[in-house]
Amino acid sequence: MINITLPDNSIRQYESGATPLDIAKSISEGLARNVLSAKVNGELWDATRPIHHDALLKLLTWNDDEGKATMWHSSAHLMAEAIEYFYPGVKFGIGPHIDNGFYYDIDLGEQTISADDLPKIEEKILELARQKQSFIRKEVSKTEAISYFTNKGDEYKLELLNDLTDGQITFYESGNFVDLCRGPHIPDTSPIKAVKLLNIAGAYWRGDEKRKQMTRIYGISFPKQKELSEYLVLLEEAKKRDHRKLGKELELFTFSAKVGLGLPLWLPKGTALRERLEAFLKKDQKKAGYVQVMTPHIANKELYITSGHYAKYGKDSFQPISTPVEGEQFMLKPMNCPHHCEIYSWKPRSYKDLPVRIAEFGTVYRYEQSGELHGLTRVRGFTQDDAHIFCRPDQVKDEFIGVLNIVKHIFRALDFKEFTTQISLRDPNNREKYIGSDENWEKAESAILEVAKEQELQNVVIEYGEAAFYGPKMDFMVKDALGRKWQLGTIQVDYNLPERFELEYTGSDNQKHRPVMIHRAPFGSMERFVAVLLEHCAGKFPLWLTPEQAIVLPISEKYHDYAKKVLDLLNNYDIRAQIDERNEKTGKKIRDAELQKIPYMLIVGEKEEAENTVSVRKQSEGDQGTCSVEAFAATINDEIKKLLEE
RNA sequence: GCCGAUGUAGCUCAGCUGGCCAGAGCAGCUGAUUUGUAAUCAGCUGGUCGGGGGUUCGAAUCCCUCCAUCGGCUCCA
């Protein structure tokens, strides 16, 4: 007999060799029907794989991320089987699950697959799924495995096998498809009720651009047709919210091939919006003791040789600018840190001066590969909401708290309700590759962990080995209205640049000490942040930020004078508004204002003029009744105050 | 940079098995209308069909090439 401990800490006894599925059945038939896989002592496990020892068991269903992952992985196998059916002789790379679905990399040889072929493959997958094929796990020796794939002529699997240890190799067989696979898989294919192959793309074998490019097919599957339909609606919604589309529609920014790839042009409304964001952050930073600076867009190449960036990125950057002076070269600024280091060392610093917090909305230029450019999220010229904090090692913790407060305030004011924090620390097994003293690293890493704990951050992920060579960091990922995750702000400790720039301060002991440098950017970059914000709010910006807060809609020309009076009053109350004086019917003016996502429409006609009021319509909500301009202004200024509250 | 798809008016798109002056809706302009909570009506303007080259009696349509965009890959100080 074996003891199985369930997540609620209850312990049940089973015959040795019981499978998670058996155990599920002993609890309830319904549960057994829904089990996709399991976790046994933390290890992912097939629901049909026997357990021979006491264990902690978690049954995984569609409601668990890992349950979904199992089904998607099994769906990938099924897709491979379907593809093998239509395209015999193809070779397979890897076929894992991803956050939303799965993919398989395929070497089609001489054959080709186009998007038009996907529906028939989907059909075949569903047909195979309905056959209720079991996934059978087989432990095989390395020799057996090699002989199988040599026979099949799949050099990719053979290469994968190379890196595997004999005795730990498993095959999974389902229907006519056998694959080298760690598993786990769902018991049989019947839960796969709906499948959509989403797109088809090239992908390098093992992610190496020097190696063969394979065909990657992405797909997703669901246990219910309805869930697939909902997912497709979500994708449509995401398309509608695409910041590139909204940016154009709302007249925020544009691109011009003549100006250059990846170089955004900010239109008047976009600029005003961005300035408002900057003002918001500047205010917070002023309160938090930052000083604002400005530095030029180019700098002598020597600066980046000192910083070490030239050696590392020089050949992949915009190339140096020559001057009439022989041998003199300047570079477009790829980051602000070296400049800020020079500002730090502009005068001698005492321990009493620290922390010194130098902030700049600094525009930087990086030569991203052409295929990598994407709207505002990947560009070649962008503005970081950058700041560098120079402090003593014992101040790192407080500085992290200070930055964190700004980050939280931003997320609150912009209605990002959920965010995750990723803490990247050293690889504990390989400490030599990091610069800086062990003592300082210890101090900084524990400070970061303490901050996360004391500030009661939710959703903290700690990644060992993810730190940069020059310091540990903390990144923030927001979840947008559609549940998608975006990386935004970052706080990063740096032991490298202070060393390279020989930064110092005089301590209370009258000795020279090296300060710790902290890079931080709560928005990340203005471009990327505006993009994420646009997709998050679908263009309906928070009232304090939106380009136009209200529009006055006179019923006819007769009321233009009154409309102007209303506008003047609104201006007095610092409300951004304009008048739609076009010779159009009210319905048309409302429609256009709705499409422009202007939060408030103020309709004025005979009645309003007589009573000195406005008729208020709220965007996407409709008629709100009539009130005086003063009352309206007071309401929306209150609303803004609430949004910006700390 | 690599693989694949796409590129027609300011925008969204039709035409593309080669053949009448290249079409529609929206936007713009002109006029009529003076309008009450998501599109008033009429007329007009606007395109070297992404650029270049080729095949052909004839090319938006077929071929080559370059550029750009999109989906991925690689990269991301």
Side-chain angles (χ1 to χ4, degrees), chain A residues 56-313:
Chain A
L56 224 64
L57 174 75
K58 184 171 186 220
L59 296 165
L60 299 171
T61 68
W62 183 249
N63 294 325
D64 303 290
D65 285 348
E66 286 159 320
K68 284 190 178 77
T70 306
M71 189 166 112
W72 284 334
H73 186 183
S74 299
S75 305
H77 279 228
L78 218 47
M79 176 170 80
E81 187 182 355
I83 287 169
E84 212 163 45
Y85 172 85
F86 289 113
Y87 308 88
V90 299
K91 296 164 189 172
F92 292 99
I94 56 165
H97 68 87
I98 48 178
D99 283 355
N100 284 299
F102 57 88
Y103 67 79
Y104 221 119
D105 283 346
I106 309 145
D107 178 358
L108 290 157
E110 295 303 304
Q111 311 183 70
T112 54
I113 293 185
S114 80
D116 302 334
D117 300 319
L118 297 180
K120 74 174 184 200
I121 300 172
E122 285 167 10
E123 276 302 307
K124 189 73 193 173
I125 294 172
L126 289 174
E127 185 192 318
L128 294 170
R130 280 193 293 270
Q131 290 170 5
K132 210 176 171 184
Q133 299 176 356
S134 296
F135 281 90
I136 300 158
R137 180 177 193 273
K138 278 188 195 155
E139 289 177 14
V140 295
S141 70
K142 196 160 179 172
T143 328
E144 266 177 277
I146 291 174
S147 105
Y148 178 83
F149 283 109
T150 307
N151 212 6
K152 199 180 173 189
D154 193 328
E155 66 261 29
Y156 303 103
K157 296 291 180 189
L158 286 170
E159 190 179 326
L160 292 173
L161 272 167
N162 245 341
D163 301 337
L164 298 178
T165 317
D166 199 3
Q168 293 177 15
I169 297 171
T170 51
F171 276 9
Y172 276 82
E173 184 182 335
S174 56
N176 294 314
F177 186 70
V178 178
D179 203 357
L180 169 69
C181 180
R182 189 185 300 128
H185 280 281
I186 56 181
D188 66 67
T189 56
S190 59
I192 302 172
K193 292 269 168 43
V195 174
K196 180 80 186 167
L197 301 186
L198 297 159
N199 60 46
I200 194 162
Y204 297 108
W205 169 236
R206 307 204 111 180
D208 183 343
E209 60 180 315
K210 289 182 190 67
R211 306 198 61 179
K212 191 174 165 65
Q213 187 138 26
M214 307 180 77
T215 302
R216 176 172 295 180
I217 300 180
Y218 286 89
I220 192 163
S221 61
F222 294 91
K224 282 182 188 149
Q225 184 61 40
K226 188 167 162 255
E227 285 186 59
L228 171 60
S229 310
E230 282 167 6
Y231 180 73
L232 293 176
V233 168
L234 189 79
L235 286 186
E236 277 307 305
E237 181 58 33
K239 233 188 208 167
K240 273 189 230 154
R241 288 166 177 248
D242 190 316
H243 74 275
R244 293 164 299 184
K245 184 173 176 300
L246 288 172
K248 197 187 277 181
E249 284 170 7
L250 302 178
E251 301 177 8
L252 300 175
F253 56 87
T254 187
F255 289 89
S256 146
K258 277 205 189 84
V259 171
L261 295 188
L263 299 172
L265 303 174
W266 288 83
L267 301 173
K269 284 184 188 176
T271 305
L273 180 106
R274 201 176 124 168
E275 282 176 341
R276 235 164 273 131
L277 280 171
E278 291 184 5
F280 175 89
L281 183 53
K282 273 185 189 161
K283 198 173 160 195
D284 268 20
Q285 287 180 171
K286 195 172 177 190
K287 241 187 255 170
Y290 287 70
V291 288
Q292 205 75 30
V293 301
M294 287 198 238
T295 64
H297 288 223
I298 63 169
N300 198 303
K301 192 172 122 184
E302 295 300 320
L303 181 69
Y304 305 109
I305 291 175
T306 303
S307 72
H309 292 109
Y310 185 77
K312 195 158 184 212
Y313 298 102

